[in-house]
Amino acid sequence: MTSLDKPTEDTQADDTRTVTEAALFEAFGGVRGMVETVLPGLLFVTIYTINKDLHWSAIAALVVSLALVVVRLAMRDTVKHAFSGVFGVAFGVVFAMMTGNAKDFYLPGMLYTLGLALAYIVTTLSGVPLLGLILGPVFKENLSWRTRNPGRKRAYAKASWAWGLILLGKCAILFPLYWWANTAQLGWVLVALKIPPFLLAVWLTWVFLAKAPAPIDVFAEMEAEERAEKERAAAAGVEAAGGRHRRDA
């Protein structure tokens, strides 16, 4: 390695880390996405702890979720994280209202967490780690990592294992509390467990992907192939025109 090679490699590594950070921020919503995830549940458990009123607690959580979507729309920002929060809160509200049990406000989200944990683990065992399916389009590599970039496939597998096991650990805490604790206790523990496990999983994902080979930009490859095809067609046209000119001469 020459003295000129190392800065180039360091620059490439920095670029990879920067791209990875940006992709994770986009895929998981960043700070604002975390706020939108936590706020409805925090409002629900706060109001319920004070007055033990399921209806007002549920309505407040749903209203703040809708307000977050309206703010996103007003700012012309992406609404996928806010909308997912609305659907999650709406399912919880409907379920709690149907059963009359305030703890059931949290049950759909807990079941979703369990299903997501199993999805991470099952897809990784099947050779198609879920995190690769989620982040592949963000990195513009689609599914090229499956067959053309084994280093990234291993990184996606490690990250998917991390997400699956962290979410299973979270479920191992919450489901016993669902049966044994009261609504307020379950709610405060759930709020406390919203961000730390998520941040741990995102950090581990960043560690694994930052050390992995760079993604293969399949969109750039397709664009390059289209340009090459146009150049070949143009060259063929020039050659054909030249041949006709020689025949006419």
Side-chain angles (χ1 to χ4, degrees):
M1 179 185 297
T2 67
S3 60
L4 296 178
D5 290 333
K6 193 174 189 305
T8 301
E9 293 178 2
D10 288 344
T11 300
Q12 291 175 343
D14 290 340
D15 290 344
T16 299
R17 284 192 289 269
T18 300
V19 171
T20 300
E21 291 171 4
L24 290 175
F25 191 90
E26 177 183 344
F28 298 117
V31 175
R32 189 171 180 181
M34 288 188 287
V35 171
E36 292 171 342
T37 299
V38 172
L39 191 56
L42 177 61
L43 188 61
F44 178 90
V45 70
T46 299
I47 295 176
Y48 190 84
T49 300
I50 295 172
N51 61 18
K52 299 296 188 293
D53 190 313
L54 169 60
H55 292 81
W56 280 112
S57 302
I59 291 171
L62 188 58
V63 167
V64 75
S65 297
L66 292 171
L68 291 171
V69 173
V70 171
V71 171
R72 287 270 191 176
L73 291 172
M75 298 179 66
R76 297 182 180 180
D77 201 353
T78 177
V79 296
K80 62 180 180 181
H81 300 290
F83 265 130
S84 64
V86 168
F87 289 130
V89 171
F91 276 117
V93 168
V94 170
F95 207 66
M97 293 294 187
M98 288 176 59
T99 64
N101 184 354
K103 283 196 291 186
D104 287 340
F105 173 79
Y106 303 110
L107 189 57
M110 292 165 57
L111 292 173
Y112 172 79
T113 299
L114 178 60
L116 188 59
L118 295 176
Y120 275 117
I121 292 173
V122 170
T123 56
T124 304
L125 289 174
S126 65
V128 192
L130 179 60
L131 206 63
L133 300 177
I134 295 172
L135 294 181
V138 178
F139 282 113
K140 300 180 181 180
E141 61 181 336
N142 285 350
L143 296 179
S144 62
W145 50 268
R146 287 196 62 198
T147 55
R148 300 172 57 192
N149 206 337
R152 285 190 72 79
K153 183 177 181 179
R154 287 192 296 270
Y156 281 135
K158 291 178 182 178
S160 293
W161 272 114
W163 278 90
L165 294 177
I166 288 171
L167 292 179
L168 278 182
K170 182 177 176 179
C171 291
I173 297 172
L174 293 178
F175 276 96
L177 288 176
Y178 174 79
W179 295 108
W180 301 332
N182 61 41
T183 300
Q185 292 169 335
L186 174 62
W188 286 113
V189 171
L190 195 147
V191 168
L193 289 178
K194 278 284 187 180
I195 301 302
F198 172 81
L199 290 180
L200 176 60
V202 170
W203 178 75
L204 289 173
T205 301
W206 179 85
V207 169
F208 294 137
L209 292 183
K211 296 179 180 179
I216 299 172
D217 191 336
V218 295
F219 296 103
E221 288 183 342
M222 289 188 291
E223 290 173 357
E225 180 60 30
E226 289 177 0
R227 287 195 299 269
E229 182 64 28
K230 290 178 180 178
E231 290 172 359
R232 287 193 293 269
V238 170
E239 183 178 349
R244 287 195 299 270
H245 179 72
R246 286 192 295 271
R247 285 195 300 271
D248 294 340

